[in-house]
Amino acid sequence: MKFRKSLLFSIIAFALTVVVITCSLVIQNVGSVNQIFFPMVTAIVDSSDGMEEWERISFNAQKDMTYNSIFWRKEVTNDANSAGNILMRVKDINGEIVVNEFQITPGKSEKLEGLKNGKKYFFEIKAAKGRFFINAT
């Protein structure tokens, strides 16, 4: 009797392990599933002579950004491979500044407090000469 309980427990533990590993691999390796649980969009900005005025950026070729899932971290990252610091701000659909000017150094992130799910936002930057990789998560 003890052997059967032990065997049953081992089989259940093995089955659960297989399910957890399979789910983990699917989330990590299937792009559409990964994008649901770990959403991220990217903007690549080339500045040939430096941006002294605010310029709107597009993430994944979209003019605006909508946080439409509970899984968005509402954070923006200046990738470590970027040419340097950037100044950034966020505006709403009416052109009102929602997140005032802040600086992000390469390899660092900034939490965007106050952004709401389902609302459209526009991101603007100022940057020196170079190429910048900006991720919104």
Side-chain angles (χ1 to χ4, degrees):
M1 190 70 165
K2 275 187 168 183
F3 175 73
R4 285 187 178 182
K5 281 186 178 181
S6 177
L7 181 61
L8 181 62
F9 178 76
S10 295
I11 292 171
I12 291 172
F14 177 76
L16 286 174
T17 302
V18 168
V19 168
V20 168
I21 289 172
T22 302
C23 288
S24 175
L25 290 172
V26 167
I27 288 171
Q28 288 178 0
N29 296 315
V30 177
S32 58
V33 175
N34 184 287
Q35 191 63 19
I36 291 169
F37 292 104
F38 305 101
M40 180 176 82
V41 291
T42 301
I44 300 173
V45 179
D46 287 310
S47 173
S48 58
D49 57 358
M51 296 179 232
E52 294 185 20
E53 299 294 322
W54 289 106
E55 291 191 30
R56 186 176 289 180
I57 62 172
S58 298
F59 290 100
N60 292 4
Q62 299 293 319
K63 293 182 181 181
D64 58 63
M65 172 76 179
T66 303
Y67 292 99
N68 54 6
S69 162
I70 61 169
F71 297 106
W72 284 99
R73 292 175 24 201
K74 296 184 181 112
E75 194 171 271
V76 67
T77 303
N78 185 6
D79 190 271
N81 295 314
S82 290
N85 297 343
I86 59 171
L87 287 175
M88 183 171 272
R89 69 182 181 186
V90 183
K91 290 184 172 181
D92 65 13
I93 194 79
N94 299 318
E96 301 291 323
I97 296 174
V98 179
V99 179
N100 210 352
E101 178 179 314
F102 57 94
Q103 181 174 312
I104 311 176
T105 59
K108 300 292 180 182
S109 298
E110 184 74 25
K111 190 82 171 143
L112 302 173
E113 301 294 336
L115 300 187
K116 296 178 177 19
N117 283 344
K119 302 245 182 205
K120 290 184 179 185
Y121 296 101
F122 300 99
F123 289 73
E124 296 179 331
I125 69 167
K126 287 183 183 180
K129 182 179 180 179
R131 184 170 233 196
F132 301 88
F133 305 92
I134 303 158
N135 297 314
T137 54

